[in-house]
Amino acid sequence: MTIKSLGDAFNPDVDLTHGAACACAACIPAGRRFTAAAVEPAVPADTEALVDRMVENAVVRSVFGGNEIARRSFLKTIGAGAFAAALAGIIPLDRVKAAVKDGMGGGGPLEKTRLNIGFVPITCATPIIMAHPMGFYERQGLDVQVIKTAGWAVARDKSLNKEYDAAHMLTPMPLAITMGAGSTAQPFVMPAVENINGQAIVLHVGHKDKRDPKQWKGFKFGVPFEYSMHNFLLRYYVAEHGLDPDQDIQIRVVPPPEMVANLRAGNLDGYLSPDPFNQRAVWEKVGFIHLLTKEIWEGHPCCAFACSKAFADELPNTYGALMMALLEATAYAADPANRKEISAAIAPANYLNQPVPVIEQVLTGRFADGLGAVQDVPDRIDFDPFPWHSMGVWILTQMKRWGYVSGDLDYRAIAEQVYLATETGERMKAMGQTPPETTYRTHTIMGKVFDPADPEGYLSSFAIRRG
């Protein structure tokens, strides 16, 4: 078997690391990423040639473990032709290319290969972000542009307007959008959770003497969005300490990248926010970590991958390929041994735009807390894609508790319509992963057990509530 042509993967003078001279299929033309104005002239007219290059790049980068220096040095030593011939004797590249062209996501050709996926620059979005520089999308035959988004109102609106094919969302958002809470109603689905844990309550350094929440009356807190676990966990936490979150404190929506600046300026006394902005407050010596949200609810969901039901239904092969890429990326992120590598991959300006040490402290769980101690909490953030229906039911109880929705709710029907736990479980099995055997379980939040079989009983057990 021979390779008909040698692409950039076999060229020792071409850098495949997505840098300034990148010539891989995700970064054509050299030295710049796709932009709206550059997409058409940048991509070869022959789609098959594009797929060939993507496969070659992915295989060769895998052979060298992503070590670009080793690849280029090796090719210069033995020659591109000799290496290509040897590789062809081991890996049937023509068959691999044919398989990609037939569509790796749903048993047929991909209906659409160029996708726009929005993300808010936080570590919760790690799988969605890292899949771009680390080649997970490319390996599924997808040309994905990950688009940095200021906040979730923008992400929601761009998703509703179909400017985004899919997006990094907060786990309550697909439920809210489907129900028409806060926006026009449109059926959305959430096939995967991006992260569990990974948030914190941060207080201004001037409040180190106010560690008891009962001392927080009159405080101003930031959360990133109304329909967020951050909002619901903060409300739950202060209410369990006897404070009414609508009367005793102020809760303001603040985009995550603006949290630290508002804390420094005195506009906020604290916030419950995603990282890296909790750790960034410590890094800049303007805040300290009061507690990690895993102390409120161990294993709570936070962010997710979501899209319109129309996207999933009308482009099933593309949707399947995208799911495959994200499930693989999530599994890679779940391994603590990979966290430092991932930190470097997602740190650049077009992704998180944060110092690598800040991201490492979040992903590795070894961090300064701003109180003079260095903590070691390996599961400060973790990555588990399974979208438990019971988590969806809990979120719905909190939406009703605080007046975001009203009336009779069919909790199970809504959760099962939006959170695609059964489908995701089947995809995980196909990948050799072991999903849970059931989609419902009890959860314990601040010592109180939530039974998804009795959401109304759980809701009525709270003294402080709106609904």
Side-chain angles (χ1 to χ4, degrees):
M1 176 183 174
T2 59
I3 296 178
K4 296 177 182 177
S5 64
L6 298 180
D8 294 329
F10 301 96
N11 185 344
D13 296 320
V14 171
D15 187 348
L16 301 183
T17 57
H18 298 275
C22 183
C24 76
C27 300
I28 303 167
R32 58 182 173 140
R33 296 191 176 276
F34 289 146
T35 63
V39 166
E40 292 305 327
V43 179
D46 186 348
T47 302
E48 290 197 4
L50 173 62
V51 174
D52 288 347
R53 292 181 63 185
M54 292 169 70
V55 170
E56 290 173 5
N57 290 357
V59 170
V60 173
R61 290 178 68 190
S62 296
V63 168
F64 291 93
N67 188 324
E68 184 62 8
I69 295 175
R71 181 191 72 86
R72 296 170 73 177
S73 175
F74 185 79
L75 289 176
K76 286 179 179 179
T77 300
I78 74 161
F83 174 64
L87 187 62
I90 301 171
I91 301 173
L93 280 176
D94 287 347
R95 293 182 185 178
V96 175
K97 293 172 185 177
V100 172
K101 291 168 188 174
D102 284 341
M104 297 181 68
L110 302 181
E111 302 89 355
K112 183 178 182 180
T113 56
R114 299 182 194 171
L115 302 176
N116 291 331
I117 298 180
F119 75 94
V120 176
I122 59 175
T123 48
C124 303
T126 291
I128 288 175
I129 298 170
M130 64 177 267
H132 187 251
M134 300 180 75
F136 288 90
Y137 296 127
E138 187 178 14
R139 283 198 287 275
Q140 300 300 328
L142 297 171
D143 170 20
V144 172
Q145 182 179 15
V146 289
I147 304 170
K148 187 185 292 189
T149 308
W152 278 289
V154 176
R156 176 196 60 199
D157 294 346
K158 286 183 178 290
S159 297
L160 287 171
N161 295 335
K162 298 184 178 180
E163 294 178 55
Y164 291 166
D165 296 289
H168 159 216
M169 289 191 176
L170 301 157
T171 46
M173 287 177 63
L175 295 166
I177 294 171
T178 298
M179 298 169 69
S183 68
T184 56
Q186 187 177 132
F188 263 62
V189 293
M190 194 191 88
V193 171
E194 287 299 295
N195 72 294
I196 57 175
N197 300 333
Q199 324 304 306
I201 295 178
V202 166
L203 296 179
H204 189 277
V205 289
H207 295 318
K208 289 183 179 180
D209 60 339
K210 296 182 177 65
R211 301 298 304 281
D212 184 345
K214 292 182 176 62
Q215 299 173 287
W216 294 356
K217 280 194 175 185
F219 273 26
K220 301 180 291 291
F221 282 93
V223 296
F225 197 55
E226 286 186 316
Y227 299 97
S228 69
M229 287 298 294
H230 312 83
N231 185 25
F232 298 142
L233 288 176
L234 178 62
R235 287 172 172 274
Y236 194 105
Y237 181 74
V238 298
E240 288 297 290
H241 287 279
L243 299 183
D244 188 317
D246 293 315
Q247 298 178 14
D248 295 325
I249 63 173
Q250 295 181 42
I251 299 179
R252 302 174 177 178
V253 172
V254 179
E258 299 176 18
M259 291 286 189
V260 176
N262 276 277
L263 191 68
R264 180 188 293 108
N267 298 328
L268 297 175
D269 295 286
Y271 52 73
L272 200 159
S273 169
D275 272 304
F277 300 103
N278 304 310
Q279 203 60 48
R280 188 63 189 254
V282 175
W283 177 270
E284 297 192 13
K285 297 181 173 56
V286 297
F288 66 93
I289 294 174
H290 170 69
L291 97 168
L292 302 177
T293 50
K294 70 184 293 293
E295 299 175 50
I296 299 174
W297 176 0
E298 175 64 60
H300 71 80
C302 182
C303 290
F305 160 70
C307 63
S308 68
K309 187 175 184 298
F311 175 83
D313 290 347
E314 295 169 10
L315 306 172
N317 299 329
T318 296
Y319 168 76
L322 185 56
M323 274 297 297
M324 181 73 76
L326 290 173
L327 288 174
E328 289 181 343
T330 304
Y332 194 81
D335 186 346
N338 300 326
R339 300 284 176 86
K340 288 192 174 183
E341 174 194 3
I342 294 169
S343 297
I346 64 178
N350 53 327
Y351 302 128
L352 295 190
N353 192 28
Q354 294 289 331
V356 172
V358 171
I359 302 172
E360 283 187 356
Q361 288 185 69
V362 175
L363 295 189
T364 66
R366 183 169 177 78
F367 62 95
D369 61 11
L371 294 168
V374 174
Q375 298 195 32
D376 197 351
V377 186
D379 61 348
R380 172 178 177 169
I381 186 170
D382 211 343
F383 301 94
D384 182 348
F386 194 71
W388 289 89
H389 288 143
S390 49
M391 289 178 172
V393 173
W394 184 87
I395 291 169
L396 290 169
T397 66
Q398 301 308 294
M399 289 172 66
K400 187 171 181 179
R401 178 184 181 182
W402 302 115
Y404 292 99
V405 296
S406 60
D408 294 333
L409 297 182
D410 190 336
Y411 294 92
R412 292 177 70 97
I414 297 169
E416 291 174 18
Q417 175 187 342
V418 178
Y419 284 24
L420 305 185
T422 302
E423 174 192 309
T424 298
E426 291 302 316
R427 291 185 187 276
M428 292 173 70
K429 287 179 184 177
M431 295 174 63
Q433 300 178 15
T434 305
E437 295 182 357
T438 181
T439 64
Y440 286 91
R441 65 177 178 179
T442 59
H443 302 284
T444 302
I445 300 93
M446 293 185 70
K448 184 171 184 173
V449 175
F450 166 65
D451 182 354
D454 186 21
E456 284 294 330
Y458 179 75
L459 186 58
S460 64
S461 71
F462 294 106
I464 302 175
R465 67 180 189 270
R466 303 283 86 79

